Amino acid sequence: MTDHGVTTWGRDLAQARDRLECLESICHLLLLTGGLPPNTPDDAHDDTTDAER
């Protein structure tokens, strides 16, 4: 880990390792849950009902 620039993620190797473990946990949760919900910014303010489409 130390030779691959990961210490830029923290003030020392221990903090960088903790942060990488958090990132790993988030990635694992995304895999278990099927990923992020779809991002639909165009539909965010759409008042059209399904019947009108």
Side-chain angles (χ1 to χ4, degrees), residues 28-51:
H28 186 72
L29 282 172
L30 287 173
L31 285 173
L32 290 175
T33 61
L36 297 172
N39 186 8
T40 56
D42 295 336
D43 295 339
H45 301 289
D46 187 5
D47 294 329
T48 308
T49 63
D50 289 337

Side-chain angles (χ1 to χ4, degrees), residues 11-38:
R11 69 181 169 270
D12 56 21
L13 186 58
Q15 186 180 46
R17 185 180 296 123
D18 288 343
R19 291 179 177 179
L20 281 174
E21 286 176 0
C22 290
L23 179 61
E24 181 184 19
S25 295
I26 291 169
C27 291
H28 186 72
L29 282 172
L30 287 173
L31 285 173
L32 290 175
T33 61
L36 297 172

